[in-house]
Amino acid sequence: MIAGLEPLHFIWFVLIGVLFVGFFFLEGFDFGVGLATRLLAKDEEERDTVVQTIGPVWDSNEVWLITAGGAMFASFPHWYATLFSGYYIPLFLILVGLIVRGVSFEFAAHSETKREKNFWQWMLFVGSLIVPFLFGMIFTSMIQGMPIDENFNIFAKFGDYVNLMSIVGGIAVTLICFIHGLNYIRLKVEGDLRVRAERLSQKLYPLLFAGLVVFAILVYTNTDFIERRPVSTIAILAVMVAAAVAAYYGSLKGKEKLSFISTGAVLAGIVVLIFNGIFPFVMIGDVAANSMKISEAASTLYTLKTMTIVTVCILPFVLAYLSWSYYIFRKRLKVGEGNEHY
């Protein structure tokens, strides 16, 4: 065991990773569906149907992010403070994007004119674009090492946030979310819209493969992941590539569930790669001595023990509710069916 690292520290570090995996797997296709309203749907009826596919579940999917942020605040307050103060502007923009995206569902559904509805549908698209892009930028800039002082304050310049790797990370996460959303639409709709979602996803896979190659090269050149953990890092990258190939195969052969699960696995792989690479730290500094260890960021063991008991008691009910809601709304949709869940 690493000096100073208690089992509960490790458990909560892993749990926060799991919460982010859940968020990107579930909310990832929500973002993709939001992008599809302008990049796939041809008219208002198709846009209503596309939005209908996530109408009953998008808000419960966002709970994973709220839970991850709350768990980080309670279990690792110093990590939370450093991350949120250092990335204040991008995280503020993410919050704006989530709010705009959230209200757009209701405002578009209750708009009295076509112009109003069109405006709020565009807001859905914009929110679905900027949130995954900024998350990709934050994660990939963070793992390169930020200018952190001995008190764990970040004093970063524009180039620390916006650079080649963070831009590639932002584009890659957005692209995977879009393909993930197209695969979800293939699962949820019938007719011409489903066929076009399949064809569009097929055209995007070559871009995804190229992006993964560039991302792997940048991970090698801009981080010490492969130097410190060569086996696990290469294994995770290999799994991500294999999942992307499986998704493409599923698209060519009409295997929708395989495509959907595989693109979700690619998104999950990014989170696992980052958490595996930064361990036993939570924040990587450009000076190694200023990187924040898990043990330095953690709450007291009493707090972590209490959180563990509460989580064990509540989690089964949350998972049961999510499973039930997806089961209830499992029916495929047709264009023009109505918008009772929009």
Side-chain angles (χ1 to χ4, degrees):
M1 182 62 71
I2 296 171
L5 186 67
E6 299 287 341
L8 280 175
H9 294 164
F10 178 74
I11 288 171
W12 275 96
F13 178 75
V14 172
L15 280 176
I16 289 175
V18 170
L19 289 169
F20 275 108
V21 166
F23 169 70
F24 278 102
F25 193 103
L26 296 174
E27 189 71 0
F29 69 73
D30 282 1
F31 295 140
V33 168
L35 295 171
T37 57
R38 290 293 164 182
L39 302 178
L40 175 70
K42 290 181 175 177
D43 53 36
E44 190 172 310
E45 250 189 359
E46 287 193 351
R47 272 191 283 280
D48 285 345
T49 304
V50 166
V51 175
Q52 234 183 298
T53 62
I54 58 171
V57 296
W58 71 268
D59 47 356
S60 62
N61 291 341
E62 285 192 359
V63 169
W64 287 80
L65 177 62
I66 297 169
T67 308
M72 184 187 291
F73 174 75
S75 58
F76 299 105
H78 300 296
W79 182 12
Y80 182 93
T82 299
L83 180 68
F84 277 72
S85 60
Y87 285 92
Y88 182 83
I89 293 176
L91 287 171
F92 173 75
L93 293 175
I94 284 175
L95 181 61
V96 171
L98 288 172
I99 292 172
V100 167
R101 189 172 174 277
V103 300
S104 69
F105 289 101
E106 289 297 326
F107 284 12
H110 295 91
S111 295
E112 295 182 352
T113 66
K114 283 191 174 182
R115 188 175 180 181
E116 284 181 18
K117 186 170 185 176
N118 188 50
F119 172 79
W120 287 111
Q121 286 178 334
W122 268 109
M123 290 300 99
L124 172 61
F125 174 81
V126 172
S128 302
L129 178 65
I130 64 173
V131 175
F133 179 76
L134 289 174
F135 265 124
M137 285 191 71
I138 289 174
F139 279 132
T140 46
S141 64
M142 188 178 72
I143 62 177
Q144 297 175 84
M146 295 295 281
I148 304 173
D149 68 9
E150 62 277 8
N151 296 315
F152 301 131
N153 296 308
I154 295 179
F155 295 98
K157 299 175 182 175
F158 181 77
D160 295 312
Y161 300 107
V162 182
N163 50 60
L164 177 61
M165 185 167 179
S166 67
I167 292 172
V168 169
I171 294 173
V173 171
T174 307
L175 177 62
I176 299 168
C177 286
F178 183 39
I179 298 175
H180 195 36
L182 291 174
N183 288 332
Y184 182 72
I185 290 171
R186 289 170 56 205
L187 275 172
K188 290 294 296 179
V189 303
E190 297 178 354
D192 182 59
L193 191 60
R194 174 182 165 277
V195 173
R196 279 192 283 118
E198 188 169 276
R199 288 175 181 167
L200 181 55
S201 68
Q202 290 171 2
K203 293 177 182 176
L204 293 172
Y205 281 109
L207 286 176
L208 176 59
F209 296 142
L212 287 176
V213 171
V214 173
F215 181 70
I217 293 172
L218 291 173
V219 166
Y220 175 73
T221 57
N222 291 29
T223 74
D224 61 353
F225 284 10
I226 292 179
E227 182 183 339
R228 291 200 298 124
R229 292 198 170 77
V231 176
S232 57
T233 300
I234 293 173
I236 295 167
L237 285 170
V239 169
M240 289 170 62
V241 173
V245 172
Y248 185 41
Y249 173 80
S251 177
L252 294 174
K253 299 296 182 182
K255 298 180 182 296
E256 295 144 347
K257 289 182 181 176
L258 175 64
S259 294
F260 176 69
I261 293 171
S262 298
T263 46
V266 177
L267 282 167
I270 293 175
V271 178
V272 175
L273 179 76
I274 292 171
F275 273 71
N276 174 74
I278 66 175
F279 181 83
F281 302 99
V282 289
M283 292 294 297
I284 306 297
D286 56 352
V287 177
N290 292 340
S291 293
M292 182 188 291
K293 295 179 181 175
I294 295 173
S295 55
E296 293 173 326
S299 292
T300 64
L301 291 177
Y302 177 79
T303 300
L304 296 177
K305 186 177 179 181
T306 304
M307 289 175 62
T308 304
I309 294 171
V310 172
T311 301
V312 169
C313 294
I314 293 177
L315 188 62
F317 296 100
V318 175
L319 295 178
Y321 170 76
L322 287 174
S323 303
W324 179 250
S325 64
Y326 275 93
Y327 176 76
I328 289 294
F329 296 105
R330 66 189 182 281
K331 180 186 172 187
R332 284 183 184 265
L333 305 173
K334 294 179 181 176
V335 176
E337 240 186 359
N339 61 352
E340 62 268 26
H341 301 306
Y342 184 173

